[in-house]
Amino acid sequence: MSRFFSSRYRDLEAYVPGEQPKQMKYIKLNTNESPFPPSQSVADAVAKEASRLPLYPDPECTEFREELAALYGVFKEETFVTNGSDDILNFAFMAFVDPEIGAAFADITYGFYEVFAELHHLPYKKIPLLDDFSLDIEAFKKANETLFIANPNAPTGLALPPSVIEEIVSSNPNRMVVIDEAYVEFGAESCLPLLKKYDNVLIVRTFSKSRSLAGGRLGYAFGRQEIISELNTLKYSMNPYNVNRLTLAAGLEILRLDEIVQENCRQISLIRERTAQKLTDMGFFVTDSRANFLFARHPQLSGEEYYAELKKRGVLVRHFSNPRIVEYNRISIGSASDMETFCRLTAEILKEKEISL
Ligand SMILES: *Cc1c(COP(=O)(O)O)cnc(C)c1O
């Protein structure tokens, strides 16, 4: 560490993203990207926009927000757009977590919540998931902190119905509840309708998982007008142009192709169910995931060993060192043929370890 690094950040432990191997010889099932490339018309829209690259993008993302608002039945002023949804989560920690009150989130959830809390020196509390990895709803209702809830949760994939989230939201109207819906399109129900009834909710979404745009970096959120305007105060205090022209052009075209997006999500859900069944038949325990990944462990094969054996055979999945989930792996849902290969290699590994099916 250099002697110039600010003392404020010396102890910071940065988020560790999933591996992004340079050679694409791996079947990548480790970062929940979409296996479907965007349509040709998306590439065309980006190519067309390239001639305007000398000009700054629209900091308000007006056209995109208008179409986003129309698609989801909200007002444009209730939408917020940034460079990936991690940006929104970061702004939400800055804007809505008071240092005197702090944040609360599950002990097993998206790892970035803790990183943001640490980054901004905000106190936080981890509320342990119950033994079956479900959210401790009573504990969340009692908490006075700003709440961060991934629904479906990652990496467990478990989802709560909006009625349960509503119980949490309504249990204390004086604290904000940030609902991270990164995976909601794969079979869970959105909490967007809560926005009409409550002013203490922020719903965060992304183009990275369901809309084949992880590389473009596009995140969006829904909240009451006042809340969005406060998020904009922070965005305009840091980088008003944080969504670039090419990404906005791609995003706009993808919004217009929403039926394709919905169909892709249906496909992913089907492949997920098929893969879950095959894993269960091979003796795995698999959570009831509503996301574009599975979370699985085998009683006779350690999580770490399974990860390493898959990697040796050219398949990358995500393994976490947190002791509570160390026996699990998170497996992104890829194309049907990639998932067939994954299942075949899994059977091979079990056979080699002499684990009978
Ligand atoms: C992937 C993910 C995000 C962030 O996605 P971006 O690519 O930054 O839009 C946010 N929350 C959860 C739970 C995620 O899994």
Side-chain angles (χ1 to χ4, degrees), residues 32 83-87 89 110 113 150 152 154 180 182-183 205-209 214 217-219:
N32 300 340
N83 185 358
S85 65
D86 287 335
D87 244 13
L89 295 167
Y110 189 38
Y113 304 152
D180 183 346
Y183 300 104
R205 299 257 197 109
T206 176
F207 272 51
S208 295
K209 313 290 165 41
R217 314 303 301 127
L218 189 60

Side-chain angles (χ1 to χ4, degrees), residues 38-112:
S39 309
Q40 181 58 40
S41 65
V42 176
D44 294 344
V46 171
K48 192 160 160 242
E49 189 66 15
S51 67
R52 300 197 193 99
L53 277 173
L55 306 175
Y56 280 109
D58 171 14
E60 291 194 46
C61 311
T62 310
E63 196 183 3
F64 176 83
R65 286 170 68 211
E66 272 165 9
E67 295 211 11
L68 182 73
L71 182 63
Y72 287 103
V74 299
F75 293 108
K76 184 186 97 202
E77 292 71 22
E78 294 173 320
T79 67
F80 183 61
V81 184
T82 58
N83 185 358
S85 65
D86 287 335
D87 244 13
I88 302 175
L89 295 167
N90 182 38
F91 288 138
F93 269 89
M94 294 171 74
F96 305 120
V97 181
D98 205 88
E100 274 76 59
I101 296 165
F105 39 85
D107 63 336
I108 295 165
T109 188
Y110 189 38
F112 234 132

Side-chain angles (χ1 to χ4, degrees), residues 141-212:
K141 284 206 284 207
K142 277 191 222 118
N144 285 318
E145 292 88 349
T146 300
L147 301 178
F148 288 79
I149 302 174
N151 192 48
N153 195 14
T156 64
L158 299 184
L160 288 171
S163 58
V164 174
I165 303 270
E166 179 169 5
E167 279 180 42
I168 296 170
V169 170
S170 65
S171 66
N172 181 351
N174 293 320
R175 55 124 150 82
M176 176 61 80
V177 183
V178 177
I179 305 158
D180 183 346
E181 293 192 338
Y183 300 104
V184 78
E185 294 98 335
F186 301 102
E189 215 182 313
S190 175
C191 287
L192 183 56
L194 296 186
L195 197 58
K196 297 258 182 294
K197 248 169 110 177
Y198 302 94
D199 66 358
N200 59 326
V201 284
L202 179 71
I203 291 159
V204 181
R205 299 257 197 109
T206 176
F207 272 51
S208 295
K209 313 290 165 41
S210 59
R211 284 189 162 108
S212 308

